[in-house]
Amino acid sequence: MPIGTIKGEGIQDPIERQSTTGDETSKDAPMSRSLPLDDPPLIKLIRYGILGGLAATPVSIVFRDFPADLLSRLWGAVVRTLPPETVAEVCSHADIQRLRSNPHCARVVLIYGCDSRVRSSSVVDWLVEIRRSGSEPLPAILSTHHRTSTDTPGATLIVQANDGLCDDLWRWLQQSNPMLELPVEAPTTAVSIDADQLQSAIQQAADRRSISVRDIHIVTGLVTGAVIHDALPDWPFDRPLPAPGPSHYAEAYELLNTRPFHTIDQPHDDLTIQMLARANAYLRHSSDDTAVKSTRLGGRAGSISTLLANKSKPTAGEIPRHITRRELVDLGKPNSFISKMLIEGLVQRGDFETLKHIGVQSTGRSHLSPRTEKPDVSELVKSMTTWTYKMVRTRFDRLHSEGLIEARKAADNAALEYLVPEDIGNGRSVFAHLPNPKEVKAFYDLTAQFPQSLP
């Protein structure tokens, strides 16, 4: 527990939205909050992560595949709501040295993409992490994804961009909403909030399920940030803050299980799964098309085709058909010929399950169900998950070169199929192992009745 920890006076559950004036508490009146309650999950994560830093429990964010112009607008919204002296910008070794001399004065650290980015991200993460839960505030770190992001030690989340998330984010930015509000005089010592009872309930509800140190730090940072957010902007920090309750955990649980949020050390990536599924569906669809002649992924232009000219007479030396980089890039473009051909072929066969796996979504007029009429192919094409050449290079090419993507045939006469490790391909949320909020609430209520049961 940090130095100078203040125990919350009583357990206040934000489901009841209590407000406190003087010594009186009203459970019916909502708390004074000037920020909108329907912000996108990403905005809430950033907000809670930064506010959690006031209690020396920040949660950092790594942004992956975001358009640079949109990301700059988002980071600008963060900067505009903070005093200039509390924003640290890192793009050189000298910036790291300045931050190292006093890491507690910053509320957020922005790490820009540059030649020293990989080293900068790792060094700053270590600077923050070894001071976590200390007696002084710490900054949250905002950075972009790179090859060694998984080597960082901090309580860090990866946010994967997709069309829906970017659209929601752009609409939010156009409304000129404030990112967060800090007290006029921010505390110079860490705001200590007693989360012992909630952490005990989480651990008891988890039973024997594995919860890592990183999981605990992320959850603690978010619930602590939520408590501080509920108290702002008019809570005097010389008074006790309420302890986080089950509803704070329920909100954090819901945010963390809303894709595309992942832990920094997990290889799981929805886009990679959909990319592989679409590549496999395309190879199966085109396996009988002898007119298609392509080189193996990464092969030189003009190489001998890996597809035999006469599939009706296979030989012992037949080389299976691999997908090319050009084809995989085109499969991520809704206007490409092969994307339309693939979706039209799957619709004609009524293979709606494969359509879902390759990132094609139901629309208002086109439902992916055998019980309805055939969906409109043009509508399905518009709804498909898209990707760029860079995404192919940083996912498929990288995993393939590292041997994590295996190409094999299920049978001698079957099309080639790409397989990935189970951790990448299971499609489950990486936070699904966290205990259910109802179970946590049950143990929390139990420890409230019998405090001696706290471990």
Side-chain angles (χ1 to χ4, degrees), residues 137-160:
L138 289 170
I141 303 167
L142 306 183
S143 61
T144 54
H145 186 269
H146 51 82
R147 286 180 65 94
T148 61
S149 288
T150 55
D151 296 334
T152 60
T156 306
L157 295 168
I158 289 183
V159 180
Q160 169 63 54

Side-chain angles (χ1 to χ4, degrees), residues 17 39 67 72 137 151 160 167 213 222 264 276 292 295 316 342 353 370 374 398 405 416 418 424 442 455:
R17 294 299 177 196
D39 291 331
S72 66
D151 296 334
Q160 169 63 54
D167 289 345
V213 173
L222 292 179
I264 195 74
L276 268 291
V292 179
T295 59
L342 174 60
E353 200 62 33
K374 285 188 177 180
R398 177 187 172 188
I405 291 181
L416 198 68
Y418 292 104
I424 298 177

Side-chain angles (χ1 to χ4, degrees), residues 241-436:
L241 281 173
S247 63
H248 289 112
Y249 173 76
E251 183 180 12
Y253 180 89
E254 182 179 359
L255 286 174
L256 293 173
N257 280 282
T258 301
R259 294 179 185 175
F261 304 130
H262 308 294
T263 53
I264 195 74
D265 56 346
Q266 290 289 341
H268 175 75
D269 181 354
D270 289 346
L271 190 60
T272 300
I273 294 173
Q274 293 173 358
M275 194 178 289
L276 268 291
R278 200 174 299 176
N280 290 335
Y282 173 71
L283 288 178
R284 289 193 299 269
H285 181 74
S286 60
S287 60
D288 293 329
D289 184 2
T290 59
V292 179
K293 297 184 178 182
S294 308
T295 59
R296 183 171 181 161
L297 184 68
R300 295 173 300 165
S303 305
I304 298 175
S305 172
T306 60
L307 183 67
L308 289 184
N310 188 350
K311 292 287 288 184
S312 61
K313 296 180 180 180
T315 64
E318 177 180 351
I319 302 176
R321 160 88 155 92
H322 287 259
I323 197 166
T324 67
R325 182 181 288 111
R326 169 72 178 271
E327 289 171 327
L328 193 52
V329 172
D330 285 345
L331 283 172
K333 299 177 180 178
N335 295 326
S336 69
F337 169 76
I338 62 175
S339 292
K340 296 177 181 177
M341 178 192 68
L342 174 60
I343 293 178
E344 184 175 1
L346 293 173
V347 169
Q348 289 177 351
R349 292 202 301 267
D351 192 350
F352 302 111
E353 200 62 33
T354 297
L355 284 170
K356 297 176 184 177
H357 289 160
I358 67 174
V360 176
Q361 304 172 9
S362 298
T363 63
R365 292 177 293 175
S366 300
H367 298 283
L368 300 180
S369 172
R371 294 186 293 273
T372 61
E373 61 182 30
K374 285 188 177 180
D376 185 346
V377 173
S378 62
E379 291 292 326
L380 294 180
V381 168
K382 294 177 184 178
S383 74
M384 64 185 286
T385 302
T386 62
W387 53 74
T388 63
Y389 164 75
K390 180 181 179 181
M391 295 178 186
V392 171
R393 178 168 54 83
T394 58
R395 287 174 172 77
F396 192 100
D397 287 6
R398 177 187 172 188
L399 292 174
H400 192 270
S401 65
E402 293 176 351
L404 292 176
I405 291 181
E406 179 184 2
R408 69 183 185 188
K409 298 170 71 173
D412 291 340
N413 61 345
L416 198 68
E417 183 178 24
Y418 292 104
L419 303 176
V420 292
E422 183 179 353
D423 285 347
I424 298 177
N426 58 31
R428 297 189 300 269
S429 167
V430 297
F431 292 104
H433 68 287
L434 293 177
N436 186 283

Side-chain angles (χ1 to χ4, degrees), residues 204-220:
Q204 292 182 68
D207 195 14
R208 298 179 181 178
R209 282 171 286 182
S210 175
I211 297 184
S212 68
V213 173
R214 196 190 305 267
D215 294 334
I216 292 295
H217 286 172
I218 289 174
V219 171
T220 301

Side-chain angles (χ1 to χ4, degrees), residues 51-239:
L51 291 177
L54 293 176
T57 58
V59 177
S60 299
I61 306 288
V62 172
F63 297 83
R64 188 173 192 181
D65 296 330
F66 277 79
D69 55 346
L70 182 63
L71 190 57
S72 66
R73 286 288 300 273
L74 175 61
W75 288 13
V78 175
V79 171
R80 284 190 297 274
T81 59
L82 293 170
E85 65 274 12
T86 65
V87 178
E89 299 172 274
V90 173
C91 58
S92 70
H93 183 68
D95 296 327
I96 297 178
Q97 290 300 102
R98 281 192 290 270
L99 181 64
R100 184 180 180 183
S101 64
N102 187 6
H104 304 289
C105 64
R107 299 285 68 80
V108 65
V109 177
L110 305 178
I111 300 182
Y112 301 126
C114 54
D115 294 340
S116 59
R117 176 182 60 189
V118 172
R119 181 183 178 187
S120 298
S121 300
S122 180
V123 170
V124 175
D125 279 339
W126 280 101
L127 285 175
V128 170
E129 199 58 29
I130 62 177
R131 294 166 174 81
R132 177 173 294 276
S133 300
S135 60
E136 297 180 86
L138 289 170
I141 303 167
L142 306 183
S143 61
T144 54
H145 186 269
H146 51 82
R147 286 180 65 94
T148 61
S149 288
T150 55
D151 296 334
T152 60
T156 306
L157 295 168
I158 289 183
V159 180
Q160 169 63 54
N162 59 32
D163 292 341
L165 190 153
C166 289
D167 289 345
D168 291 344
L169 186 57
W170 175 239
R171 282 193 291 268
W172 185 87
L173 289 169
Q174 288 179 311
Q175 295 171 5
S176 300
N177 292 318
M179 173 62 71
L180 71 161
E181 294 185 9
L182 295 178
V184 176
E185 296 184 3
T188 56
T189 58
V191 178
S192 297
I193 301 173
D194 182 16
D196 288 353
Q197 186 175 352
L198 181 60
Q199 288 183 354
S200 174
I202 294 172
Q203 292 170 350
Q204 292 182 68
D207 195 14
R208 298 179 181 178
R209 282 171 286 182
S210 175
I211 297 184
S212 68
V213 173
R214 196 190 305 267
D215 294 334
I216 292 295
H217 286 172
I218 289 174
V219 171
T220 301
L222 292 179
V223 299
T224 300
V227 169
I228 296 174
H229 173 246
D230 285 345
L232 291 175
D234 48 10
W235 188 282
F237 280 94
D238 57 349
R239 292 184 52 196

